[in-house]
Amino acid sequence: MKILTFLAYYLFFISIISIFAYKIRAFRLSHRLFYILIAAITLFSACEFKLKPNEDDNDAAHIKVERYDRLQSRYLITGDFSALQEMNTEYPIETRTLVEKMLRIGEVGDHNINEKFLRFYQDSTLQSIISDAGSEYADMDDINKQLKKVFLQLKEWLPNMPIPRVYAQIGALDQSIVVGERMIGISLDKYMGAKYPIYQRYDYSAEQLRTMGRNYIVPDCASFYLLSLYPMENYDSRTQMEKDLHMGKVMWVVNKAMGKQIFTTDYVNIVDRYMDKHHDVSISELLESDDYSKMK
């Protein structure tokens, strides 16, 4: 479809150029100006073609992790300024989220923010994490395959669900997943595996460590993204049981999309029993429902 659109534009402009070329030949400038016009129109057409919205943006088959973390690593370890420029131009929202909301070291427009950003990561522990994450996640093909499988399934159940862009970053052992509008950020520093030596320096529980491995990246991406699309109304006034069941139904849906039991809480089990008795309830209806009285 895009190729046909491009050809249509191209043929249209060629016809216009032919008319101009006839006029131009009368002034003995035909060859030079003709080829200048050809180059200009071709460049315009190519730019216009490139700037058209990507028709695949909402196709789960094309979802994959964008390696923002590699640019981040290049700048923070080698001081490569071109990497920082690319972070700011190609990933402005991701950079703003990291600097302002995760690290909280200032605003991206501050005159000295680049220096503060670089200095923040000079901590020896963070430098080790950046290096280790680069090695551990040199290849993310397995993650991409899981993302594709899960989001294709979710899209089948939830046809109106927008497909997010997914990117990897290195945080500071804070948030595992950050979710924005049609965007999911994976903090690789929180998925280095239960036995990662640096984790042993901190007061992580055995249960927390169990979920800090590679196998939890995709389930966490899916669950936090679904929570952003199906938030609980009047959250602060709800009972703890209702809050737990709300999370439980999202986890149940993710388990089904993954094709295995990743999340195994009591509340996931309650939702499972409920859905076993109510085969007429769709995934969409389950997620949209705000009535937990029948599940208790």
Side-chain angles (χ1 to χ4, degrees):
M1 187 66 183
K2 288 181 177 179
I3 293 174
L4 292 175
T5 302
F6 175 78
L7 287 175
Y9 274 112
Y10 189 78
L11 292 173
F12 172 75
F13 283 115
I14 286 297
S15 64
I16 298 298
I17 289 169
S18 298
I19 296 172
F20 278 115
Y22 178 81
K23 301 281 187 181
I24 291 169
R25 279 195 293 270
F27 294 95
R28 299 180 180 180
L29 295 174
S30 59
H31 287 78
R32 181 180 299 176
L33 290 181
F34 182 76
Y35 288 112
I36 289 175
L37 280 170
I38 282 284
I41 295 299
T42 301
L43 178 62
F44 169 80
S45 299
C47 290
E48 189 273 344
F49 178 68
K50 181 178 179 182
L51 291 173
K52 279 183 176 293
N54 189 345
E55 294 174 0
D56 296 331
D57 279 353
N58 210 34
D59 185 354
H62 295 86
I63 194 170
K64 66 177 182 178
V65 179
E66 297 182 30
R67 301 307 303 266
Y68 174 80
D69 61 298
R70 288 178 173 167
L71 290 174
Q72 191 182 353
S73 176
R74 269 174 51 200
Y75 177 61
L76 297 175
I77 291 181
T78 69
D80 184 347
F81 190 71
S82 66
L84 177 65
Q85 289 179 315
E86 194 169 345
M87 288 167 62
N88 287 325
T89 56
E90 299 296 322
Y91 297 94
I93 298 175
E94 293 86 341
T95 301
R96 181 181 295 275
T97 300
L98 178 62
V99 169
E100 298 181 2
K101 297 183 180 179
M102 293 186 66
L103 306 180
R104 297 187 181 93
I105 56 175
E107 298 183 357
V108 291
D110 293 347
H111 73 281
N112 63 338
I113 196 63
N114 295 341
E115 180 185 346
K116 290 171 70 175
F117 182 60
L118 184 61
R119 189 166 61 244
F120 181 91
Y121 278 97
Q122 295 315 299
D123 174 86
S124 59
T125 297
L126 291 179
Q127 285 285 303
S128 296
I129 290 174
I130 293 171
S131 178
D132 294 342
S135 299
E136 176 67 22
Y137 289 99
D139 185 344
M140 295 188 74
D141 285 349
D142 59 322
I143 305 297
N144 289 330
K145 289 176 182 177
Q146 287 181 35
L147 279 171
K148 178 180 175 180
K149 173 190 173 183
V150 169
F151 277 89
L152 278 171
Q153 182 60 77
L154 291 175
K155 187 68 173 176
E156 182 179 329
W157 291 333
L158 309 165
N160 295 325
M161 180 189 75
I163 298 301
R165 286 181 54 234
V166 183
Y167 67 97
Q169 64 182 354
I170 308 294
L173 297 177
D174 189 6
Q175 295 166 275
S176 302
I177 301 291
V178 291
V179 177
E181 185 175 351
R182 295 193 64 171
M183 190 172 293
I184 300 174
I186 305 165
S187 295
L188 298 180
D189 50 294
K190 293 297 293 288
Y191 293 100
M192 296 297 291
K195 295 183 179 180
Y196 185 48
I198 289 179
Y199 291 165
Q200 313 310 315
R201 305 177 193 174
Y202 300 91
D203 192 26
Y204 291 118
S205 67
E207 178 60 23
Q208 286 176 309
L209 289 170
R210 185 180 67 82
T211 65
M212 295 172 71
R214 191 183 193 101
N215 60 317
Y216 267 84
I217 288 180
V218 174
D220 283 353
C221 283
S223 59
F224 282 108
Y225 188 60
L226 286 177
L227 283 171
S228 74
L229 297 178
Y230 298 93
M232 187 174 215
E233 295 184 8
N234 304 312
Y235 183 86
D236 292 336
S237 64
R238 308 303 284 267
T239 66
Q240 188 59 48
M241 181 71 166
E242 289 175 321
K243 294 175 182 177
D244 291 335
L245 285 171
H246 181 73
M247 187 70 207
K249 70 181 184 182
V250 168
M251 289 179 167
W252 183 87
V253 171
V254 173
N255 282 348
K256 293 299 181 183
M258 291 288 297
K260 54 185 174 181
Q261 295 294 110
I262 299 293
F263 302 112
T264 56
T265 70
D266 291 339
Y267 302 98
V268 172
N269 294 335
I270 291 173
V271 175
D272 190 51
R273 290 194 294 270
Y274 172 79
M275 292 300 284
D276 276 343
K277 296 177 182 178
H278 299 82
H279 296 289
D280 58 320
V281 176
S282 67
I283 298 295
S284 177
E285 290 169 337
L286 174 67
L287 291 171
E288 291 173 358
S289 173
D290 199 42
D291 181 8
Y292 297 92
S293 60
K294 296 179 182 178
M295 292 186 186
K296 297 177 183 178

